Amino acid sequence: MKNRFIHLHLHTEYSISDGLIKIKDLISQAVNNQFPAIAITDLNNIFALVKFYKLALEKGIKPIIGIEVDIKNCKKNTESSRVVLLCKNIKGFNNLSNLITDSYVNLSENNKFYIYKDQLARSSEGLIALSGGIYGDLAYAIKLGKKDLIEEYINYWKKYFPSCFYLEITRTGKDFEDEYESYILDIAKKYQLPLVATNNARFIKKKDFQAHEVRVCIHNGSYLEDAKRKSEYTENQYLKSSEEMQELFYDIPSAIENSFEIAKRCNLQIPLGEIAMPIFPLDASQDENEYFHSLVMQSFNKKLLDKNIINKDPYSKRIILELDVITKMGFSGYFLIVSDFVMWAKNNDIPVGPGRGSGAGSLVAYVLNITNIDPIKYDLLFERFLNPERISLPDFDIDFCMDKRDSVIQYVANKFGRDKVSQIITYGTMAARAVVRDVGRVLQYPYLFVDSIAKLIPLEIGITLDKALQDDDLKKLYDSDDDVKEIINMALVLEGFPRNAGTHAGGIVISPKKLVNYTPLFRDTTESPLLTQLDKDDIEEIGLIKFDFLGLRTLTVIENTLKIINRDVVSNQKFSLEDISLNDEKTLDLLRKQKTNGVFQLESQGIKDILRRLKPNKFDEIIALVALYRPGPLQSGMVDDFIDRKNGANVEYFH
């Protein structure tokens, strides 16, 4: 009987409102306990789907994808209950994805997520349901003592989940568990329904209980020692071993065995590493690669003519090379899509950035007007953007005017289908300073005391508490004051946990078919945009293509400035940015004087110091500087070498 128990009900760090189980720790513990399989069932989301699925497979653990959801009988009903849903196969996943998405699209007036039973009835295929234990609808009916309601609920589950409905029982020491179990054993016998044991796990070890309680209080805005607060959890809700669970349910061995049988029935396979390239709309008779090649060559010839390029040979060789790589890698549609929405923006007076990042090294991007930068003139490498020897998805960083960016997103959604386009989720985490303040508040320490601790943590991007404790002042305080130690020790446990869901700054995903086939959608409120439930890294893991629509305030400022300049000027004499020489002496003088506040990528103190040393007298030097400058010793050494050679006598420095 060893390892015949499988955890089928647990909340990870991505449950947001509760759950202290990190995905890495969960899989590590599963390996240590020799669990052949394990499930995640976060509350009302599957944010952790790909991270969990991928890591479990890597470690030889069978991943079971599930969710715990709030359900209601109908919209008029004020009472809600919970049920655990597990995916048996891809049909079950698609049904679950649609259910979750529909519920977020139709959030209740108070922004609460519910799945209604009539919805669930229509989408039950491929799913296994666990009754929810003391939080399920049967427990609610038992509390009311209504036998007719109990029978109504049982008939529902038996009808819509035939052979796929299990009566969940727990022994975690909560109120009502014993009474519920005595009733549920009779129900199981009377209606011939199988039992399954779970531990409704929320943390890895028993000692983690208090940290979990603090996390719940942070989310709820409550205090740990508030006499009015009644905890929903017990210290027994940890990731118990198979042996512990078998011992706990020694008198109902079938409840343990059924957890193993359910795990055997869940065989969802998620394709990872495949590319789901969105489809550019063309007539049925048109071949995408042929259309792309024709468009590029037409645009290429026009660009050579417009720019009066005399030496065409390097351009011709480069365009043939790039076209070959792009078509062989299957990215013709990607370039067509980006070119389409960039040109739409430009044609609708929406300022678009000239191009940056590795995408500026593409001549195809230049001739399709995705970028305004001639990569041949500036000796930019295409291989940094696409390289057949290093397979990676293309990634253009496209800057739009901050005020009009949403218009471009709306255009893309209308063109490709609103069910195929979405913004991407991101997760706000408990960062070093914030988590110290949160923990201090929950433990009810005086505000000024907690504030004094938090202010000793440096205001650095990515700072961690471990790194902050290397500072002498904070370390000395930590070692000498037990209250400080209590706050920081608790903060160290919670640091980095997801705190809330937000919207990625620029990421948009376009899918070749309905997005719900890949990921359910999410939103916080009825006023919020719909987001993928998978973050940008997981979106790419399942093969979806991310497009960066970055809102750049600088472009908005430039547009407004041009409007002011040209307010009283006749159309054929209007000033354009193209009129400014790249080697304008007044501009270079401002750079030499480090007057670059508000200048994109040139306003940090680090780069101002380099400008002071560099004393640029031509635009090419600025390009080289921005290309070289990145935080880190290697890049710093390259910058130093560049400046030394530039300032040295009779030295060719640019290349």
Side-chain angles (χ1 to χ4, degrees):
M1 278 287 290
K2 187 178 181 182
N3 296 325
R4 299 297 287 184
F5 173 77
I6 304 296
H7 280 281
L8 299 175
H9 187 174
L10 64 85
H11 288 190
T12 76
E13 58 191 306
Y14 287 94
S15 202
I16 306 294
S17 61
D18 67 356
L20 204 71
I21 301 176
K22 290 185 176 180
I23 299 297
K24 288 183 180 179
D25 295 341
L26 173 65
I27 301 304
S28 176
Q29 195 71 6
V31 171
N32 293 340
N33 285 338
Q34 297 183 319
F35 288 131
I38 200 161
I40 58 169
T41 57
D42 288 329
L43 183 61
N44 297 334
N45 76 67
I46 55 171
F47 295 161
L49 167 68
V50 172
K51 292 175 176 61
F52 165 72
Y53 182 87
K54 183 181 177 184
L55 188 57
L57 287 183
E58 286 177 4
K59 299 299 182 180
I61 306 293
K62 181 180 182 179
I64 301 170
I65 303 302
I67 187 172
E68 183 177 17
V69 291
D70 290 306
I71 61 170
K72 277 189 174 185
N73 289 340
C74 63
K75 291 185 178 181
K76 293 180 180 179
N77 198 317
T78 57
E79 297 297 331
S80 66
S81 56
R82 287 183 178 172
V83 67
V84 173
L85 302 172
L86 305 173
C87 297
K88 291 197 295 182
N89 47 40
I90 194 66
K91 178 65 176 178
F93 174 77
N94 287 337
N95 277 333
L96 183 61
S97 185
N98 276 286
L99 281 167
I100 296 170
T101 300
D102 287 346
S103 296
Y104 278 114
V105 168
N106 300 295
L107 282 175
S108 68
E109 290 182 1
N110 56 353
N111 296 316
K112 295 291 186 181
F113 172 101
Y114 297 110
I115 291 177
Y116 297 99
K117 281 190 173 179
D118 59 337
Q119 294 175 296
L120 186 54
R122 294 191 296 269
S123 302
S124 61
E125 186 181 349
L127 296 172
I128 289 174
L130 313 187
S131 69
I134 62 173
Y135 300 104
D137 59 358
L138 288 174
Y140 172 69
I142 289 169
K143 283 181 181 179
L144 294 178
K146 293 185 176 181
K147 292 183 179 179
D148 57 336
L149 193 58
I150 293 172
E151 188 160 348
E152 177 188 327
Y153 290 163
I154 287 172
N155 288 337
Y156 170 89
W157 294 111
K158 290 187 73 172
K159 178 179 179 180
Y160 296 110
F161 287 83
S163 302
C164 291
F165 178 65
Y166 291 78
L167 298 170
E168 182 182 359
I169 53 175
T170 57
R171 292 176 175 176
T172 60
K174 294 184 181 182
D175 294 343
F176 190 62
E177 275 185 340
D178 292 340
E179 185 182 351
Y180 165 79
E181 186 178 305
S182 66
Y183 273 94
I184 222 70
L185 291 175
D186 290 339
I187 289 172
K189 185 176 181 181
K190 180 179 179 181
Y191 294 97
Q192 294 297 293
L193 289 169
L195 296 161
V196 64
T198 79
N199 204 47
N200 203 351
R202 295 293 184 272
F203 33 92
I204 297 285
K205 301 286 187 182
K206 182 181 282 192
K207 65 180 178 61
D208 298 328
F209 173 63
Q210 187 177 31
H212 179 265
E213 289 289 273
V214 171
R215 181 180 192 187
V216 172
C217 288
I218 289 173
H219 180 268
N220 295 340
S222 54
Y223 300 121
L224 186 65
E225 299 299 331
D226 188 344
K228 297 179 181 179
R229 187 183 80 90
K230 182 173 174 56
S231 177
E232 298 178 37
Y233 312 93
T234 74
E235 65 179 3
N236 297 314
Q237 290 180 258
Y238 64 94
L239 198 73
K240 290 186 174 180
S241 67
S242 182
E243 291 78 10
E244 286 177 297
M245 290 299 292
Q246 288 177 79
E247 183 180 342
L248 185 62
F249 288 92
Y250 73 94
D251 53 330
I252 316 177
S254 66
I256 296 294
E257 188 65 25
N258 281 335
S259 72
F260 193 84
E261 293 303 314
I262 290 170
K264 284 162 58 176
R265 298 177 68 186
C266 295
N267 297 292
L268 172 64
Q269 292 186 321
I270 300 171
L272 299 178
E274 299 178 7
I275 295 178
M277 183 62 66
I279 300 167
F280 186 77
L282 294 170
D283 294 338
S285 61
Q286 289 179 300
D287 176 81
E288 186 175 78
N289 285 337
E290 290 178 0
Y291 176 81
F292 173 64
H293 190 280
S294 174
L295 178 66
V296 169
M297 293 312 298
Q298 288 178 31
S299 303
F300 174 68
N301 292 324
K302 184 176 185 302
K303 184 72 75 173
L304 293 178
L305 189 63
D306 291 346
K307 296 298 180 180
N308 195 27
I309 294 172
I310 306 300
N311 184 13
K312 299 178 182 179
D313 190 50
Y315 289 85
S316 297
K317 289 179 180 178
R318 177 70 163 265
I319 205 76
I320 292 170
L321 168 70
E322 289 194 21
L323 280 170
D324 184 59
V325 170
I326 292 166
T327 52
K328 283 182 177 177
M329 294 182 75
F331 296 145
S332 298
Y334 177 84
F335 276 79
L336 290 172
I337 290 168
V338 176
S339 174
D340 180 80
F341 65 69
V342 168
M343 287 307 299
W344 181 88
K346 290 179 177 179
N347 292 335
N348 285 273
D349 297 322
I350 297 174
V352 182
R356 59 186 171 98
S358 60
S362 169
L363 182 59
V364 168
Y366 177 56
V367 303
L368 290 179
N369 295 311
I370 295 171
T371 68
N372 294 346
I373 301 167
D374 182 343
I376 305 299
K377 179 179 178 180
Y378 294 108
D379 199 22
L380 302 178
L381 297 175
F382 174 66
E383 290 75 14
R384 282 190 63 208
F385 183 60
L386 280 183
N387 191 331
E389 295 180 5
R390 179 179 52 83
I391 303 299
S392 61
L393 295 175
D395 188 14
F396 279 113
D397 292 330
I398 309 294
D399 297 315
F400 295 101
C401 164
M402 180 74 79
D403 292 345
K404 298 180 180 180
R405 168 181 172 268
D406 288 346
S407 298
V408 188
I409 295 173
Q410 289 301 318
Y411 166 75
V412 171
N414 291 335
K415 185 177 184 76
F416 295 95
R418 292 186 175 275
D419 57 353
K420 297 176 184 176
V421 177
S422 174
Q423 292 180 256
I424 298 173
I425 203 168
T426 187
Y427 310 112
T429 58
M430 298 188 192
R433 273 196 170 198
V435 74
V436 164
R437 294 184 189 279
D438 283 334
V439 168
R441 180 190 60 77
V442 166
L443 298 181
Q444 291 180 276
Y445 280 99
Y447 171 79
L448 291 177
F449 175 67
V450 176
D451 184 59
S452 67
I453 302 170
K455 285 180 176 176
L456 290 176
I457 300 169
L459 276 172
E460 297 176 13
I461 295 174
I463 187 71
T464 65
L465 286 172
D466 279 332
K467 186 176 179 182
L469 281 169
Q470 295 173 16
D471 179 82
D472 289 342
D473 291 340
L474 184 59
K475 185 68 168 63
K476 190 180 297 182
L477 194 61
Y478 174 83
D479 290 335
S480 62
D481 191 317
D482 288 341
D483 290 335
V484 173
K485 183 172 289 187
E486 180 183 33
I487 292 171
I488 290 182
N489 283 349
M490 182 62 70
L492 282 164
V493 175
L494 297 175
E495 184 182 21
F497 272 84
R499 179 181 185 135
N500 59 276
T503 305
H504 187 276
I508 303 293
V509 64
I510 306 175
S511 169
K513 51 187 177 181
K514 289 183 178 180
L515 265 171
V516 289
N517 290 311
Y518 302 94
T519 170
L521 302 181
F522 167 87
R523 63 176 176 175
D524 250 339
T525 71
T526 55
E527 305 300 319
S528 305
L530 283 171
L531 311 171
T532 60
Q533 288 210 2
L534 305 181
D535 65 21
K536 67 178 183 66
D537 294 330
D538 292 347
I539 281 293
E540 292 182 347
E541 283 284 353
I542 61 172
L544 290 174
I545 308 298
K546 174 176 71 73
F547 298 80
D548 282 323
F549 289 59
L550 303 168
L552 193 60
R553 180 66 61 189
T554 303
L555 288 175
T556 309
V557 172
I558 290 172
E559 182 194 29
N560 292 338
T561 304
L562 288 172
K563 284 180 179 177
I564 294 170
I565 293 171
N566 293 318
R567 188 166 44 202
D568 301 318
V569 180
V570 295
S571 58
N572 64 344
Q573 295 179 351
K574 290 195 177 208
F575 176 76
S576 166
L577 291 180
E578 303 294 326
D579 298 331
I580 303 175
S581 167
L582 291 180
N583 291 314
D584 178 70
E585 181 55 34
K586 290 183 178 179
T587 302
L588 290 168
D589 187 52
L590 289 174
L591 296 178
R592 288 191 290 265
K593 292 176 179 176
Q594 306 108 58
K595 294 185 177 181
T596 55
N597 287 346
V599 180
F600 185 55
Q601 293 194 333
L602 294 177
E603 60 182 328
S604 71
Q605 189 56 51
I607 210 159
K608 282 182 179 180
D609 290 340
I610 292 171
L611 285 170
R612 175 181 54 78
R613 294 163 52 204
L614 180 66
K615 298 180 178 61
N617 52 31
K618 58 194 296 189
F619 181 68
D620 289 351
E621 294 170 10
I622 304 300
I623 292 179
L625 173 62
V626 173
L628 287 173
Y629 181 72
R630 297 288 186 279
L634 176 62
Q635 286 75 16
S636 295
M638 293 169 67
V639 169
D640 290 341
D641 182 61
F642 173 75
I643 292 173
D644 289 343
R645 286 186 288 133
K646 185 262 180 183
N647 292 333
N650 301 316
V651 176
E652 175 58 39
Y653 55 87
F654 180 65
H655 290 293

